[in-house]
Amino acid sequence: MSFLFATLAAFALCLAIEFGLGDVPGRASRKAGDLAVRLCAYGLILLFWFVFSWRPWLAASSCVLTVAILHLVSRLKRAVIGEPLVFSDFALLPQVPRHPQLYYVPPLTSPRIAGPLLLGLAGIVLWYRIEPSLLPVSPAAAVAAVAALPLGLAALIAAAGRGPLGRWLARCFPRPDLEGDLARFGLPACLIAYALRWRAERARPASVAAPATVRAPGDAVVVVIQLESFLDPERLGGPHLPAMDLIRARASEYGRLRVPAHGAYTMRTEHAVLTGRAAGELGFGVFDPYLASGGNEPDSLARAARRNGYATTFVHPFHRDFFQRARVMKAFGFETLVMEEAFADAPRVGPYVGDAAFGARVRAEVAARRGPLFLFGVTMENHGPWKPGRLPGIDDPLAQYLHHVAAAGRMVEDLVAALTGLDAMLCVYGDHAPALPTCRPGFGDRATDYALFRFGPAAAGAPRRVDRTADDLGRRLRAAIGRDAPSPHT
């Protein structure tokens, strides 16, 4: 009976949290079927915690605390980047202790983190001593029970990808509809169901790329640079950026770039550009395409470039393990990776390698080429957070951001100068808007800025403004590399 009472109490409190304090846009659904899905999610969380203790009230309290924490984190995340918590965020958790500054959290050694963790651990130890376990007295029965419950949960997860349970789940969650599903089923149910639907979709075979049709000119260069948090600073009330004059005067194309997220999720924009795949094609992998495919994209820009005779190089002055970029970029088809170890002695501007040093390395790679080259680079200097102490004498977040944007602009000017006279193309674009207090979610319809320059025999006529999505830009670049027909905007 204690298990039943604990479960009912947990369910009631979880519903109160979701309906009263939760991160639910609009009015949450009260339909019986939708409520049943919510309760199933609570039950799975409760059983998960029960596996570790076999103490019903401890498991019930842990379930309620889990739901409360999920909603708190989701509300905080929505306030910064305009999106609730999603299942793929949990795959990034191992990175948080290694790179806490990138996730706006103190390190584990901080009293604000270590104190609550130690208090929580002490509370669990005390609870273990107070509440009796429901494990059978017989050793054999206890071992069987301890093994049966996690195996049962694992079997349930396996069944969710196929058969009647899988079909029911697919009917409830046919495609990602985050805001609608949150209102219907609640945050815990969405986290669990989306993860299960993503797991089922991963079994789909990757598309087979078409054979190459065009060989690269003997000395062709294609340079694509993803600029961290870049957009025209005048859109934020900042000063005029000289590089924008250069873009409007010399770029063959420029304009707004609509990207998949605000203030974060660099990998979404990166994936869209490198593959040309729209969000609607990714199913439940849309929230973290690298988690979904791991770079196994036969049609990526790098693979298309290699099929057409280009050497392929990836340049990024940061840790190889971040977003698993080294592994993912190899899978994308990049032969050469120039990453953190190549920038060990490079000057930092704030906590990260400066754009000037990054640009110098890109220019060196172009100068050292031995034939056609496709280079994709990702800058780091203007990565958040922007907070006091980052730059000497500049504590205002917007002022720090504008300082770094100016450096990015100068780097773009230097690249244009270095590529002028070559048979080359340069594309620069912002991965997302900055997560600044003055740049909240919804700013500019998730639009950054991009520019496409052509040099040498391929130089185009007068510049023109063409607003694009990130995936459309990827298809435009693929056309330039020579594998596909141009996109409709070209």
Side-chain angles (χ1 to χ4, degrees):
M1 291 297 290
S2 62
F3 186 87
L4 176 61
F5 290 141
T7 299
L8 292 175
F11 284 6
L13 288 172
C14 288
L15 285 173
I17 290 170
E18 290 223 273
F19 284 95
L21 303 173
D23 179 30
V24 181
R27 184 173 175 81
S29 172
R30 264 75 170 176
K31 293 180 180 179
D34 298 345
L35 287 173
V37 174
R38 288 178 187 263
L39 296 180
C40 285
Y42 304 156
L44 288 173
I45 295 172
L46 189 147
L47 287 175
F48 171 80
W49 290 118
F50 190 69
V51 164
F52 297 100
S53 69
W54 282 79
R55 289 163 170 80
W57 288 103
L58 177 56
S61 300
S62 299
C63 174
V64 173
L65 184 61
T66 298
V67 172
I69 290 174
L70 289 176
H71 277 284
L72 173 62
V73 173
S74 188
R75 289 170 68 94
L76 292 172
K77 180 187 170 190
R78 189 188 286 276
V80 175
I81 66 173
E83 183 178 300
L85 194 66
V86 292
F87 77 94
S88 58
D89 292 331
F90 292 90
L92 302 177
L93 283 178
Q95 296 184 159
V96 176
R98 287 178 283 182
H99 312 289
Q101 76 281 4
L102 297 181
Y103 292 94
Y104 299 81
V105 298
L108 287 176
T109 54
S110 168
R112 287 186 291 167
I113 299 296
L117 286 177
L118 292 174
L119 286 174
L121 182 60
I124 292 171
V125 171
L126 180 62
W127 204 315
Y128 261 79
R129 295 179 62 87
I130 294 172
E131 185 180 4
S133 170
L134 293 186
L135 270 176
V137 177
S138 166
V143 170
V146 167
L149 186 53
L151 287 175
L153 288 173
L156 187 64
I157 292 171
R162 61 181 71 87
L165 183 56
R167 290 192 293 271
W168 172 79
L169 200 61
R171 285 195 301 270
C172 289
F173 301 89
R175 66 190 63 84
D177 178 15
L178 198 52
E179 301 297 353
D181 288 337
L182 280 173
R184 287 188 63 193
F185 305 116
L187 180 59
C190 286
L191 292 172
I192 295 170
Y194 276 37
L196 293 173
R197 292 286 287 124
W198 164 79
R199 185 173 177 272
E201 286 183 347
R202 288 192 74 191
R204 295 177 183 175
S207 61
V208 178
T213 57
V214 178
R215 299 295 293 178
D219 204 30
V221 177
V222 176
V223 176
V224 181
I225 305 296
Q226 181 171 275
L227 300 170
E228 176 61 44
S229 302
F230 178 83
L231 48 76
D232 182 351
E234 287 190 274
R235 295 170 60 192
L236 296 176
H240 177 70
L241 187 67
M244 298 306 298
D245 287 335
L246 177 69
I247 286 171
R248 297 183 183 109
R250 295 193 56 184
S252 59
E253 300 172 19
Y254 67 92
R256 297 283 191 265
L257 186 71
R258 187 171 183 182
V259 295
H262 173 92
Y265 292 119
T266 294
M267 82 290 280
R268 295 183 188 174
T269 305
E270 197 168 282
H271 181 272
V273 171
L274 284 172
T275 67
R277 296 179 64 189
E281 301 177 42
L282 303 180
F284 287 87
V286 67
F287 303 107
D288 188 342
Y290 288 175
L291 179 65
S293 67
N296 183 25
E297 302 274 4
D299 238 10
S300 74
L301 277 179
R303 291 190 181 279
R306 287 177 66 173
R307 287 191 296 268
N308 289 298
Y310 290 82
T312 54
T313 298
F314 174 69
V315 182
H316 179 48
F318 199 59
H319 300 288
R320 287 175 169 263
D321 68 336
F322 195 65
F323 292 155
Q324 298 296 313
R325 267 211 180 94
R327 177 182 58 80
V328 169
M329 291 301 161
K330 281 288 187 182
F332 267 133
F334 287 98
E335 301 163 290
T336 303
L337 305 184
V338 182
M339 301 192 74
E340 59 174 332
E341 64 279 359
F343 293 90
D345 299 323
R348 266 61 178 168
V349 181
Y352 310 115
V353 170
D355 285 350
F358 168 87
R361 183 57 190 245
V362 170
R363 298 195 303 273
E365 292 291 328
V366 171
R369 72 193 184 283
R370 297 291 185 268
L373 172 67
F374 171 67
L375 186 149
F376 182 76
V378 178
T379 70
M380 197 65 194
E381 177 181 331
N382 210 1
H383 201 294
W386 301 271
K387 57 186 181 180
R390 176 179 177 125
L391 293 174
I394 306 177
D395 284 344
D396 177 68
L398 178 59
Q400 292 178 352
Y401 172 82
L402 295 173
H403 178 88
H404 296 307
V405 162
R410 290 191 295 270
M411 186 263 291
V412 170
E413 294 176 285
D414 291 342
L415 284 176
V416 169
L419 295 174
T420 298
L422 302 179
D423 181 5
M425 172 186 282
L426 169 65
C427 176
V428 296
Y429 67 90
D431 58 348
H432 52 69
L436 287 166
T438 51
C439 186
R440 285 307 188 191
F443 166 85
D445 195 23
R446 289 182 173 178
T448 61
D449 291 275
Y450 87 97
L452 190 64
F453 297 86
R454 288 181 176 272
F455 308 95
R464 57 178 182 149
R465 175 168 174 168
V466 183
D467 294 343
R468 297 182 181 274
T469 61
D471 56 285
D472 183 48
L473 179 60
R475 293 189 293 274
R476 178 71 183 89
L477 292 170
R478 188 188 306 169
I481 287 173
R483 205 186 67 75
D484 284 343
S487 72
H489 285 127
T490 56

Short mmCIF file of all heavy atoms in Angstrom, two decimals, residues 1-10 46 50 54-58 60 131-134:
data_model
loop_
_atom_site.label_atom_id
_atom_site.label_comp_id
_atom_site.label_asym_id
_atom_site.label_seq_id
_atom_site.Cartn_x
_atom_site.Cartn_y
_atom_site.Cartn_z
N MET A 1 0.81 -1.22 0.00
CA MET A 1 0.00 0.00 0.00
C MET A 1 0.85 1.27 0.00
O MET A 1 0.45 2.28 -0.55
CB MET A 1 -0.93 0.00 1.22
CG MET A 1 -2.02 -1.05 1.15
SD MET A 1 -3.16 -0.79 -0.23
CE MET A 1 -4.01 0.68 0.32
N SER A 2 2.01 1.21 0.63
CA SER A 2 2.86 2.40 0.68
C SER A 2 3.28 2.83 -0.72
O SER A 2 3.36 4.03 -1.02
CB SER A 2 4.08 2.15 1.57
OG SER A 2 4.88 1.12 1.04
N PHE A 3 3.52 1.84 -1.58
CA PHE A 3 3.90 2.17 -2.96
C PHE A 3 2.75 2.88 -3.68
O PHE A 3 2.97 3.87 -4.39
CB PHE A 3 4.31 0.91 -3.71
CG PHE A 3 4.85 1.17 -5.10
CD1 PHE A 3 6.19 1.46 -5.30
CD2 PHE A 3 4.00 1.17 -6.21
CE1 PHE A 3 6.68 1.72 -6.57
CE2 PHE A 3 4.48 1.44 -7.47
CZ PHE A 3 5.83 1.72 -7.65
N LEU A 4 1.54 2.37 -3.49
CA LEU A 4 0.37 2.98 -4.13
C LEU A 4 0.16 4.40 -3.64
O LEU A 4 -0.05 5.33 -4.44
CB LEU A 4 -0.87 2.14 -3.85
CG LEU A 4 -2.20 2.70 -4.37
CD1 LEU A 4 -2.16 2.83 -5.88
CD2 LEU A 4 -3.36 1.82 -3.91
N PHE A 5 0.21 4.62 -2.33
CA PHE A 5 0.01 5.96 -1.79
C PHE A 5 1.11 6.92 -2.25
O PHE A 5 0.85 8.09 -2.58
CB PHE A 5 -0.05 5.92 -0.26
CG PHE A 5 -1.30 5.28 0.28
CD1 PHE A 5 -1.25 4.47 1.40
CD2 PHE A 5 -2.52 5.51 -0.33
CE1 PHE A 5 -2.39 3.87 1.90
CE2 PHE A 5 -3.68 4.92 0.17
CZ PHE A 5 -3.61 4.10 1.28
N ALA A 6 2.35 6.43 -2.26
CA ALA A 6 3.47 7.27 -2.71
C ALA A 6 3.30 7.65 -4.18
O ALA A 6 3.55 8.80 -4.58
CB ALA A 6 4.79 6.54 -2.49
N THR A 7 2.85 6.67 -4.99
CA THR A 7 2.65 6.94 -6.42
C THR A 7 1.55 7.97 -6.63
O THR A 7 1.71 8.92 -7.42
CB THR A 7 2.30 5.63 -7.15
OG1 THR A 7 3.38 4.71 -7.00
CG2 THR A 7 2.05 5.89 -8.63
N LEU A 8 0.42 7.82 -5.94
CA LEU A 8 -0.68 8.76 -6.09
C LEU A 8 -0.26 10.16 -5.65
O LEU A 8 -0.60 11.17 -6.30
CB LEU A 8 -1.88 8.29 -5.28
CG LEU A 8 -2.57 7.01 -5.79
CD1 LEU A 8 -3.67 6.59 -4.83
CD2 LEU A 8 -3.13 7.21 -7.19
N ALA A 9 0.48 10.25 -4.56
CA ALA A 9 0.94 11.55 -4.09
C ALA A 9 1.89 12.19 -5.10
O ALA A 9 1.82 13.40 -5.38
CB ALA A 9 1.63 11.40 -2.73
N ALA A 10 2.80 11.39 -5.66
CA ALA A 10 3.74 11.90 -6.66
C ALA A 10 3.01 12.39 -7.89
O ALA A 10 3.31 13.47 -8.43
CB ALA A 10 4.75 10.81 -7.03
N LEU A 46 9.23 7.61 -11.90
CA LEU A 46 9.17 7.05 -10.54
C LEU A 46 9.82 5.66 -10.50
O LEU A 46 10.59 5.35 -9.59
CB LEU A 46 7.72 6.99 -10.07
CG LEU A 46 7.49 6.63 -8.60
CD1 LEU A 46 6.25 7.35 -8.07
CD2 LEU A 46 7.32 5.14 -8.40
N PHE A 50 12.94 4.26 -8.41
CA PHE A 50 12.68 3.13 -7.53
C PHE A 50 13.70 2.02 -7.73
O PHE A 50 14.05 1.30 -6.77
CB PHE A 50 11.26 2.60 -7.80
CG PHE A 50 10.79 1.59 -6.80
CD1 PHE A 50 10.51 1.95 -5.50
CD2 PHE A 50 10.63 0.25 -7.17
CE1 PHE A 50 10.08 1.02 -4.56
CE2 PHE A 50 10.20 -0.69 -6.25
CZ PHE A 50 9.92 -0.31 -4.94
N TRP A 54 14.37 1.02 -4.04
CA TRP A 54 13.28 0.17 -3.59
C TRP A 54 12.58 0.77 -2.36
O TRP A 54 12.07 0.07 -1.51
CB TRP A 54 13.77 -1.26 -3.32
CG TRP A 54 13.93 -2.03 -4.60
CD1 TRP A 54 14.98 -1.94 -5.47
CD2 TRP A 54 13.01 -2.93 -5.18
NE1 TRP A 54 14.78 -2.74 -6.56
CE2 TRP A 54 13.57 -3.39 -6.40
CE3 TRP A 54 11.76 -3.44 -4.80
CZ2 TRP A 54 12.93 -4.30 -7.24
CZ3 TRP A 54 11.13 -4.35 -5.62
CH2 TRP A 54 11.70 -4.76 -6.83
N ARG A 55 12.56 2.07 -2.32
CA ARG A 55 11.88 2.81 -1.26
C ARG A 55 10.85 3.72 -1.93
O ARG A 55 11.22 4.68 -2.62
CB ARG A 55 12.88 3.63 -0.43
CG ARG A 55 13.77 2.75 0.46
CD ARG A 55 14.99 3.50 0.95
NE ARG A 55 15.71 2.73 1.96
CZ ARG A 55 16.55 1.72 1.68
NH1 ARG A 55 16.76 1.37 0.41
NH2 ARG A 55 17.16 1.07 2.65
N PRO A 56 9.57 3.44 -1.78
CA PRO A 56 8.54 4.14 -2.56
C PRO A 56 8.48 5.64 -2.33
O PRO A 56 8.33 6.41 -3.27
CB PRO A 56 7.24 3.46 -2.14
CG PRO A 56 7.54 2.77 -0.85
CD PRO A 56 8.98 2.40 -0.91
N TRP A 57 8.60 6.08 -1.07
CA TRP A 57 8.50 7.51 -0.81
C TRP A 57 9.75 8.26 -1.27
O TRP A 57 9.65 9.41 -1.73
CB TRP A 57 8.23 7.77 0.66
CG TRP A 57 6.82 7.40 1.04
CD1 TRP A 57 6.42 6.28 1.70
CD2 TRP A 57 5.63 8.11 0.72
NE1 TRP A 57 5.06 6.25 1.84
CE2 TRP A 57 4.53 7.36 1.24
CE3 TRP A 57 5.36 9.30 0.05
CZ2 TRP A 57 3.21 7.77 1.10
CZ3 TRP A 57 4.04 9.73 -0.08
CH2 TRP A 57 2.99 8.97 0.43
N LEU A 58 10.89 7.63 -1.21
CA LEU A 58 12.10 8.24 -1.77
C LEU A 58 11.97 8.35 -3.28
O LEU A 58 12.31 9.39 -3.88
CB LEU A 58 13.33 7.43 -1.39
CG LEU A 58 14.67 7.92 -1.95
CD1 LEU A 58 14.94 9.38 -1.57
CD2 LEU A 58 15.81 7.03 -1.48
N ALA A 60 9.18 8.44 -5.01
CA ALA A 60 8.14 9.42 -5.31
C ALA A 60 8.67 10.85 -5.16
O ALA A 60 8.41 11.72 -6.00
CB ALA A 60 6.94 9.21 -4.39
N GLU A 131 13.59 5.25 5.79
CA GLU A 131 12.52 4.52 5.10
C GLU A 131 12.94 3.07 4.83
O GLU A 131 14.00 2.84 4.24
CB GLU A 131 12.15 5.20 3.79
CG GLU A 131 10.95 4.52 3.10
CD GLU A 131 10.57 5.20 1.78
OE1 GLU A 131 11.27 6.15 1.36
OE2 GLU A 131 9.57 4.77 1.18
N PRO A 132 12.13 2.10 5.18
CA PRO A 132 12.48 0.70 4.91
C PRO A 132 12.35 0.37 3.43
O PRO A 132 11.54 0.95 2.71
CB PRO A 132 11.47 -0.08 5.74
CG PRO A 132 10.30 0.84 5.88
CD PRO A 132 10.87 2.22 5.94
N SER A 133 13.15 -0.59 3.00
CA SER A 133 13.12 -1.05 1.61
C SER A 133 12.01 -2.06 1.40
O SER A 133 11.63 -2.80 2.32
CB SER A 133 14.47 -1.68 1.25
OG SER A 133 14.39 -2.33 0.00
N LEU A 134 11.48 -2.11 0.18
CA LEU A 134 10.45 -3.08 -0.17
C LEU A 134 11.04 -4.34 -0.81
O LEU A 134 10.30 -5.19 -1.29
CB LEU A 134 9.43 -2.47 -1.14
CG LEU A 134 8.55 -1.35 -0.59
CD1 LEU A 134 7.49 -0.97 -1.62
CD2 LEU A 134 7.89 -1.75 0.71
#
